Amino acid sequence: MTQRLDPREMAESIVETELGRPAGPLIPVESQSSRVFVGRDVVVKLAEHSRLDREIRLAGHLSPGLTPQLLAGGARSFDGRSVQFACYPRAPGVTPGAGLPGVDVATARSLAEQAMERLAVLHRWRPPDDVAEILRQPLDHGGFTTRDELLGLVEQLVAADRHRVVDRALVHGLVSVAEGAPRAARTDVPVHADCYWENWLASDGDLTALLDFEWARFGDPLDDYFFLVSFSGEHEAAVMDVVAEAAGISGSALRRECEVRQATFLVSDILLALTGDESNLPGQLLTRRLASLEQLVTGRRWHPSVP
């Protein structure tokens, strides 16, 4: 019987075949959607879903200063399985990390300012027609689209929650958030749609790259602002001030938009867990999402108390 290749061996084979040289030591790094291996000067991503193909097709059109340029990408067959792959040069720096751990407030503000500058480049980008078609392709991204769709998701959650896992007071809170949401979000701006801090690299306080364009699509710039603010940990207020100023909107308006987007993501994830399709979900997702929902509704996360 032929021995199945493990993901590291697949990555090594791809580097040797596509780049024409030995891969050298490849170290696996944590990723929620792909297998990622980092070498001395190369990064290899492997996936068995179509989103990596989306990233590959976009890569050659993105600004060189925004993300590393694609070295090779496509699909290979391993053990009868089709595996998507992408190879990139290794960019300098490390991820600031979700919650910006170990970062002081001045650095957090500086990183947020730099992130907003880079996102502005993406949001101003006007892709050619063939690339625009890629960004228009539908994705089940779980983000906010319209008020009616969010209200419909809440109704679906109630129908699926036969054992009343979700406290009905929290459901009422979700309905209140949905009823106060904008009628519809924009769908005409290129957005990253997953730009939380683990998808950035920084070196000596300077951002060097934005990674993982698998969820890129046409959307609303607020979709990206939400990820910057929401995953800033103890620096959330400082980052929110930077984002609001750079975007030219009020802090209260930004908080309302963040609340709507967090509510939509939570409803989507909780509904996915309740309907039993947990094959692609990390363990304990439902427990964590319910805790976040409690914080959103009862803790009024996006409504700071006035002293």
Side-chain angles (χ1 to χ4, degrees):
M1 176 180 288
T2 302
Q3 185 177 3
R4 292 171 65 91
L5 293 178
D6 66 26
R8 191 200 305 267
E9 291 172 323
M10 294 179 191
E12 291 171 348
S13 173
I14 286 168
V15 171
E16 292 174 4
T17 302
E18 300 293 331
L19 304 185
R21 60 178 175 80
L26 292 178
I27 301 171
V29 298
E30 185 176 351
S31 173
Q32 294 185 9
S33 61
S34 306
R35 297 273 193 167
V36 180
F37 297 89
V38 176
R40 182 180 60 83
D41 59 358
V42 67
V43 176
V44 184
K45 295 180 66 174
L46 307 177
E48 294 184 58
H49 54 67
S50 61
R51 294 194 310 275
L52 185 53
D53 179 64
R54 188 187 198 92
E55 176 178 293
I56 292 167
R57 294 170 66 189
L58 291 173
H61 301 275
L62 297 168
S63 168
L66 186 63
T67 192
Q69 294 299 284
L70 183 71
L71 297 174
R76 286 273 300 276
S77 179
F78 292 99
D79 306 318
R81 294 176 293 158
S82 179
V83 177
Q84 298 284 332
F85 71 87
C87 301
Y88 296 96
R90 181 173 178 177
V94 297
T95 173
L100 298 175
V103 170
D104 60 36
V105 65
T107 301
R109 292 185 64 90
S110 175
L111 291 174
E113 289 166 356
Q114 295 175 62
M116 288 296 287
E117 290 172 359
R118 286 176 177 260
L119 288 173
V121 172
L122 175 62
H123 297 162
R124 289 194 299 266
W125 177 41
R126 294 298 176 260
D129 290 344
D130 57 334
V131 180
E133 186 59 34
I134 298 171
L135 294 172
R136 291 191 189 98
Q137 291 174 2
L139 277 174
D140 184 15
H141 54 76
F144 175 71
T145 53
T146 69
R147 180 194 305 162
D148 288 344
E149 183 169 321
L150 177 52
L151 285 167
L153 282 174
V154 176
E155 290 178 0
Q156 291 178 48
L157 185 153
V158 172
D161 190 14
R162 294 185 297 274
H163 301 292
R164 289 187 172 252
V165 173
V166 184
D167 188 286
R168 287 304 178 260
L170 299 181
V171 172
H172 294 323
L174 282 172
V175 171
S176 178
V177 170
E179 289 177 341
R183 185 173 299 278
R186 294 175 62 180
T187 57
D188 59 348
V189 175
V191 296
H192 183 277
D194 196 25
C195 59
Y196 72 127
W197 290 108
E198 286 192 358
N199 277 337
W200 296 86
L201 294 180
S203 178
D204 296 325
D206 293 327
L207 290 181
T208 59
L210 174 57
L211 309 176
D212 294 342
F213 278 77
E214 295 178 12
W215 292 101
R217 56 183 173 83
F218 277 126
D220 191 315
L222 287 156
D223 298 333
D224 284 340
Y225 303 158
F226 163 75
F227 280 97
L228 286 187
V229 173
S230 186
F231 291 89
S232 292
E234 64 179 295
H235 302 300
E236 184 174 286
V239 171
M240 181 175 290
D241 287 344
V242 170
V243 171
E245 181 177 359
I249 60 178
S250 69
S252 59
L254 179 56
R255 284 193 293 272
R256 287 195 298 272
E257 296 284 359
C258 286
E259 180 180 51
V260 167
R261 281 159 176 78
Q262 186 185 20
T264 307
F265 281 117
L266 289 175
V267 173
S268 297
D269 280 354
I270 292 171
L271 180 59
L272 190 61
L274 289 175
T275 52
D277 186 7
E278 300 181 5
S279 58
N280 294 317
L281 301 179
Q284 303 302 313
L285 179 139
L286 179 58
T287 300
R288 295 199 302 270
R289 294 299 186 267
L290 289 174
S292 295
L293 181 58
E294 178 76 30
Q295 183 187 31
L296 175 78
V297 174
T298 306
R300 295 178 59 79
R301 174 183 177 183
W302 299 104
H303 300 269
S305 57
V306 179

